[in-house]
Amino acid sequence: MPEKTVVQAAIDMYLTALVSSDIDAIIGLYDVEATVEDPVGSEEIQGREAIRAFYSKATSGISEARATGAIRCAGMEVAFPFRVIIDLGKGKRTMEVIDVFRFNAAGKVVSMRAFWSRDNMKPV
């Protein structure tokens, strides 16, 4: 299991990079062959280029991203709740999310699954 301090630093960087749309920082967290399923139930994407394209769209409009609870580590995985404030052109909304990252031995994310639905979005 990656050290909790490494995992926490990755999550902190991820949330900061979502707000600043720092796609390179986000991509740097991922393994070359990583997968993203956001939201869970959607088509899984794989590889850094596909993930880059996904985050290039997904980060637009995010003005805030902050943890809303403690991280939960088990084996090589971590789950963490957070909230984003996003404006997709129809006014600001909050969105409650739980992400699950699975890490490899090198400390890179090999899988990200985001648990959320429209029920988790509310007007600000």
Side-chain angles (χ1 to χ4, degrees):
M1 174 170 132
E3 290 187 31
K4 191 171 182 179
T5 55
V6 171
V7 169
Q8 186 66 61
I11 292 168
D12 292 344
M13 176 179 283
Y14 178 73
L15 295 177
T16 298
L18 287 176
V19 175
S20 64
S21 296
D22 188 344
I23 307 306
D24 289 335
I26 294 170
I27 296 303
L29 297 171
Y30 284 93
D31 182 74
V32 175
E33 294 299 318
T35 61
V36 168
E37 185 181 0
D38 187 351
V40 168
S42 65
E43 184 177 340
E44 184 178 84
I45 59 173
Q46 182 174 18
R48 281 188 171 169
E49 290 311 309
I51 293 170
R52 177 180 297 281
F54 168 79
Y55 280 108
S56 292
K57 294 177 191 170
T59 59
S60 67
I62 295 177
S63 61
E64 183 178 311
R66 81 168 76 155
T68 57
I71 64 173
R72 276 74 167 192
C73 295
M76 298 297 282
E77 296 187 69
V78 60
F80 59 100
F82 66 101
R83 175 185 309 120
V84 297
I85 295 180
I86 189 166
D87 188 343
L88 301 173
K90 297 180 181 178
K92 289 186 177 183
R93 299 178 91 53
T94 63
M95 187 166 97
E96 301 284 336
V97 183
I98 297 173
D99 274 3
V100 177
F101 285 177
R102 187 172 75 240
F103 289 87
N104 61 18
K108 295 291 186 180
V109 176
V110 294
S111 169
M112 186 282 269
R113 299 181 77 216
F115 291 81
W116 65 273
S117 71
R118 297 233 180 254
D119 292 341
N120 304 112
M121 297 180 81
K122 309 282 185 234
V124 173

